[in-house]
Amino acid sequence: MGSNGTITELQRNSTNWTVVVDEIVKMEKKIFPKHESLARSFDEELKKKNSGLLYIQIRGQVVGYVMYAWPTSLSASITKLAVKENYRGQGRGEALLEAAIKKCRTRTVLRITLHVDPLRTPAVNLYKQFGFQVDTLIQGYYSADRPAYRMYIDFDSK
């Protein structure tokens, strides 16, 4: 990716684990409302057996990340995708999503799901660009007055 940064998978035994997680927690706090943020439990979330995280670093700074999980052998979920505001609109979200889908597909999953705030139009459009479809609108998902689209993409069993 060159000047667009390098996508790296965060390894549990990595020497830079703490630095990367600390930077991501700062992003979480800035980007997501308090009740949606994983800032308090990020370390525990990442230590779950069937989960992973990819991040983009530019000049030593984390500028975006995507978290994913495999709740079952046939399905995966994108649990978080975020890019720092001043790095948006430059293809980094697309690169992260594409890399996460490829990672999830290594487990031959048949479906990947995610939840997104319908008012986050750029995010909804990004997911649609990759073939995700709106399954349903879930009222009160984020909070009493904030719903979420549940979106999915299906794959052949081949």
Side-chain angles (χ1 to χ4, degrees):
M1 277 185 96
S3 63
N4 279 340
T6 304
I7 295 180
T8 305
E9 183 174 8
L10 183 61
Q11 300 294 327
R12 298 185 200 308
N13 56 356
S14 169
T15 56
N16 67 342
W17 172 279
T18 303
V19 172
V20 171
V21 170
D22 285 350
E23 282 191 54
I24 290 171
V25 166
K26 285 179 192 167
M27 284 178 62
E28 273 280 309
K29 288 178 178 176
K30 191 167 188 169
I31 294 171
F32 296 103
K34 193 174 190 174
H35 64 279
E36 288 174 39
S37 174
L38 290 175
R40 284 192 180 140
S41 61
F42 217 90
D43 208 44
E44 294 85 47
E45 285 292 318
L46 290 173
K47 288 178 181 172
K48 289 181 180 175
K49 191 175 183 179
N50 292 322
S51 67
L53 181 134
L54 301 169
Y55 63 96
I56 293 182
Q57 228 173 6
I58 297 177
R59 291 183 292 282
Q61 180 185 94
V62 176
V63 299
Y65 64 95
V66 60
M67 285 181 71
Y68 50 91
W70 298 277
T72 74
S73 61
L74 298 177
S75 70
S77 61
I78 305 292
T79 54
K80 284 282 184 168
L81 173 63
V83 175
K84 283 186 177 178
E85 195 167 344
N86 51 334
Y87 290 93
R88 293 179 187 163
Q90 301 167 29
R92 293 182 180 93
E94 290 92 335
L96 284 165
L97 183 58
E98 181 176 17
I101 290 170
K102 285 180 182 174
K103 194 73 180 165
C104 290
R105 293 288 292 146
T106 64
R107 301 255 183 131
T108 61
V109 297
L110 300 180
R111 175 174 277 198
I112 300 174
T113 60
L114 58 84
H115 293 89
V116 62
D117 184 330
L119 298 178
R120 292 185 186 243
T121 307
V124 172
N125 290 340
L126 170 65
Y127 300 135
K128 286 182 176 179
Q129 175 186 323
F130 276 82
F132 282 85
Q133 301 172 53
V134 173
D135 179 28
T136 189
L137 180 69
I138 302 170
Q139 295 296 335
Y141 182 83
Y142 292 110
S143 64
D145 60 342
R146 285 194 55 226
Y149 283 145
R150 181 172 61 212
M151 299 181 76
Y152 71 95
I153 185 170
D154 285 335
F155 300 97
D156 293 333
S157 59
K158 297 175 187 175

